[in-house]
Amino acid sequence: MSSSNIHETVNFTSSLAETSTPLPSVFELLAQERLTDLIRPCLRQILKFLYEIRPVSNLFRILYKYKDEFILLIESIIQWLYLHFYSALIGEHFYGLKRTANHRLRSLIFSVFLPYVKLKLDSLHEQMNTNNNNRNATFYIILKLLPKIQIFIEGVCWLYRIGYAFGRTEYYSPALQLAGVKLTYIKDPSPVIPPTNTSGRFFAIISQIMSSGLFLIQFIDWWNNTNGSSKQTSIDTTSIPPLPTTIPTRPAIGKRQCPLCRQPCNVPTAVSGSGYVYCYTCISNYVTRYHKCPATNQSVTNEQLIKIY
C-alpha cells in the first residue's frame, strides 16, 4: 500500500471518528442553560444584600441603581475568561461541554448581551402596563408587539430544542447557530491553563471556587423555591383571613347631624333597613351613584328612602 493511500485512510478514519462523536443530550443542555441563567439572579441577590448592609454608601447606591449594567459587566468578564481558557461558558464547562469554534465575541453577544436586552424590554413593557397616562399610537403599538415578539422567539427556541432532541438539527438553539458554534463533549478534561503561568494558576483557583459555588447556587435556588412554596402552603392552610368589615368606622357625629355632609339634616330622610338618617339631597345623590347605604354598604334603591316629617 502506498504512502498516499495510507494518508487518505488515516484522514478518512479521523474524519469519521470526528463526525461520529456523540452530541450532548437535550437534558444536559437544558441543565447547563438553567445553570447559566442562575448567575444573573445570584449576582443581583449579592448586590441587594450589600446594599441593605450599607444603604448610605454612595458606591453601593450607585451600583444598586445600575445593577443590571454592573451585572452585565461582571458576567461578560466571567464568560469571556471561560471562553478564552475552556472554549465554553461557565455552565457548559461545568457539565463537561465545549464549543466547537472559539467565536468569543459572537458567543458573548448571543449569550450575555441579548438576555440583557430582553431583561430591559421586559422592564419597559412592565412600566408601560403601569403607566396609563400615555396612550399615543407608538406607545400602543410597542405595548402590543413586545409580548408577541417574545412569544415568537420562545417558540423558535423550543422548535430548535425539539428538532435537536429528534436529531433534525445539530444546533440546540438559534443563538448557537447564529454564533456559528456547536456543543460537544470535552475530549481532554484536563485544564489547558499552564501551571507555571501566574494568571493561569489564579484563574484556575477562581474557576474551582466558582465551580464549587455553582453547587451552592443550585442549592440556594432549590431552597428558595421549596421554602417559598412551603410558606405559601402554611399561610394558605393555617392563617384565616379576617372577616370583612361591613360597617366602616366613622368619627362620632352629633345629634340630628347628617353623616355625609356633617351638617344639621335638611329634610331628614331615613334609609329603610339600616335606620340611618341623612339629608334628603345627600342620601339621594349617594344612592343614585353607588346604589348602597354609606353606613352599612347594603344595597339600597331610591324607593327605600323615607322622608321624616
Side-chain angles (χ1 to χ4, degrees):
M1 183 180 292
S2 62
S3 60
S4 60
N5 292 335
I6 295 175
H7 184 67
E8 291 176 359
T9 304
V10 170
N11 288 338
F12 176 76
T13 306
S14 61
S15 62
L16 182 62
E18 184 176 351
T19 55
S20 62
T21 302
L23 295 175
S25 66
V26 68
F27 301 104
E28 290 175 309
L29 297 180
L30 283 172
Q32 66 83 21
E33 185 180 37
R34 172 161 177 77
L35 186 59
T36 304
D37 293 339
L38 285 176
I39 297 176
R40 188 176 288 107
C42 181
L43 293 176
R44 188 179 291 111
Q45 289 295 329
I46 293 174
L47 280 179
K48 182 180 179 181
F49 175 73
L50 294 176
Y51 177 73
E52 290 177 352
I53 292 178
R54 297 290 300 276
V56 296
S57 175
N58 293 327
L59 176 61
F60 290 131
R61 189 182 298 114
I62 294 174
L63 290 180
Y64 191 74
K65 181 179 180 181
Y66 301 99
K67 56 182 178 297
D68 294 332
E69 289 73 20
F70 180 71
I71 291 172
L72 174 66
L73 176 63
I74 297 299
E75 188 178 6
S76 300
I77 294 174
I78 294 174
Q79 301 291 20
W80 178 272
L81 291 174
Y82 267 84
L83 287 169
H84 176 71
F85 287 108
Y86 301 115
S87 297
L89 299 178
I90 181 171
E92 298 166 356
H93 177 72
F94 182 78
Y95 280 92
L97 306 176
K98 72 171 184 177
R99 302 196 167 206
T100 54
N102 197 10
H103 298 157
R104 292 192 290 267
L105 183 58
R106 280 189 284 180
S107 297
L108 280 181
I109 290 175
F110 291 105
S111 301
V112 179
F113 288 95
L114 283 187
Y116 167 78
V117 174
K118 180 182 180 299
L119 178 66
K120 287 300 181 182
L121 289 178
D122 291 339
S123 177
L124 176 63
H125 183 259
E126 185 178 353
Q127 292 177 3
M128 286 182 172
N129 276 329
T130 55
N131 185 14
N132 297 321
N133 297 326
N134 189 5
R135 285 295 183 184
N136 53 27
T138 306
F139 179 90
Y140 184 79
I141 292 173
I142 295 176
L143 187 62
K144 294 299 181 182
L145 282 182
L146 278 180
K148 294 179 174 59
I149 293 174
Q150 293 182 358
I151 292 174
F152 173 76
I153 294 175
E154 287 293 329
V156 172
C157 292
W158 276 106
L159 286 177
Y160 267 82
R161 293 167 185 170
I162 294 173
Y164 182 87
F166 287 96
R168 298 297 181 181
T169 178
E170 296 181 347
Y171 296 98
Y172 168 73
S173 66
L176 291 175
Q177 187 170 8
L178 292 174
V181 297
K182 302 175 185 177
L183 291 177
T184 59
Y185 290 107
I186 299 177
K187 295 180 180 179
D188 184 12
S190 59
V192 297
I193 305 173
T196 57
N197 190 355
T198 305
S199 61
R201 288 199 303 268
F202 175 75
F203 181 74
I205 296 173
I206 297 298
S207 177
Q208 292 177 0
I209 294 174
M210 293 188 64
S211 298
S212 303
L214 291 178
F215 283 108
L216 182 61
I217 292 175
Q218 288 182 322
F219 175 76
I220 292 174
D221 180 67
W222 169 82
W223 176 262
N224 288 334
N225 294 333
T226 306
N227 197 24
S229 61
S230 62
K231 283 184 178 180
Q232 184 68 25
T233 304
S234 63
I235 290 175
D236 293 339
T237 55
T238 58
S239 62
I240 301 175
L243 294 174
T245 304
T246 56
I247 303 177
T249 304
R250 294 178 177 271
I253 57 176
K255 191 176 182 180
R256 301 176 184 272
Q257 190 177 15
C258 175
L260 291 176
C261 65
R262 302 290 175 173
Q263 300 296 328
C265 289
N266 184 15
V267 187
T269 303
V271 178
S272 177
S274 67
Y276 282 86
V277 180
Y278 306 87
C279 296
Y280 176 78
T281 305
C282 296
I283 190 60
S284 178
N285 294 335
Y286 190 91
V287 170
T288 303
R289 184 174 181 182
Y290 298 106
H291 307 285
K292 64 180 182 179
C293 175
T296 62
N297 290 331
Q298 296 177 355
S299 298
V300 176
T301 61
N302 287 324
E303 287 75 13
Q304 294 177 267
L305 303 181
I306 302 173
K307 295 181 181 180
I308 302 175
Y309 296 97

